[in-house]
Amino acid sequence: MARWLAHICLDDGHHADDASLEVIRWLLSDGSIQGLRWCFTARSAEGAATALEQCLLEGGLAELIVLSPLSRDEVLVLLESLELPAHLRRRADLADSLIRHAGGHPFFTLETLKSLIPSTITDDEPPPIPPAVRTQIAGVSRPCQPRRAICFACLR
């Protein structure tokens, strides 16, 4: 398998069940895939993935990277990198409004921006909650914590 793949990325590990995590453990121990790089993301201390994370960290097979919410400056950089419509580029308070509304969460920030593009919302109205964000929020049992990513080094 390693002949055709260089990386494997698994997202939302906090949703994985015990059987799925067992398959991941089996893949990680398979000598035929040495050299593959893995990326595994999960919310902090949530779900069965916590045991896999702990095992890999203790075994020196993983590096933990804690991702924090976007800062105001990072939201400004994001806004500058996008080709936004003129009505959004003119809003001096757009970054602050997005921080208040989306809390620095990258997905929620982008979805909120997308919902504003065809919008007739005035500058003093709060941004709407986009449908994709409503779906994500509905599936969260507790407030979102910053996501964690475990980047697996080459298993040698």
Side-chain angles (χ1 to χ4, degrees):
M1 180 167 39
R3 273 182 274 171
W4 302 285
L5 292 174
H7 309 280
I8 295 180
C9 296
L10 304 170
D11 193 19
D12 291 336
H14 50 277
H15 292 300
D17 61 10
D18 289 335
S20 299
L21 293 172
E22 187 59 33
V23 169
I24 293 168
R25 282 187 194 92
W26 175 77
L27 285 170
L28 289 170
S29 67
D30 184 353
S32 68
I33 62 169
Q34 284 186 344
L36 274 179
R37 296 184 65 84
W38 291 73
C39 178
F40 181 78
T41 68
R43 289 195 187 111
S44 301
E46 192 173 312
T50 304
L52 175 63
E53 172 190 315
Q54 205 55 37
C55 173
L56 294 167
L57 288 170
E58 288 171 2
L61 298 174
E63 177 183 344
L64 180 65
I65 301 171
V66 178
L67 304 177
S68 301
L70 297 174
S71 68
R72 181 182 186 280
D73 289 341
E74 290 168 328
V75 171
L76 284 169
V77 169
L78 173 66
L79 293 174
E80 290 170 10
S81 74
L82 301 172
E83 294 181 22
L84 295 173
H87 78 279
L88 291 177
R89 284 195 313 267
R90 285 191 301 266
R91 285 192 58 178
D93 71 328
L94 184 58
D96 292 325
S97 179
L98 287 168
I99 290 288
R100 277 192 310 277
H101 187 71
H105 189 292
F107 173 74
F108 295 168
T109 300
L110 288 172
E111 288 298 317
T112 300
L113 274 171
K114 285 186 343 189
S115 74
L116 292 173
I117 289 176
S119 180
T120 58
I121 294 173
T122 63
D123 287 351
D124 49 342
E125 285 183 74
I129 298 176
V133 173
R134 282 186 205 273
T135 302
Q136 288 292 317
I137 292 172
V140 176
S141 58
R142 60 187 176 83
C144 278
Q145 299 296 316
R147 297 194 55 156
R148 280 204 245 190
I150 301 175
C151 295
F152 297 90
C154 293
L155 302 175
R156 296 180 195 253

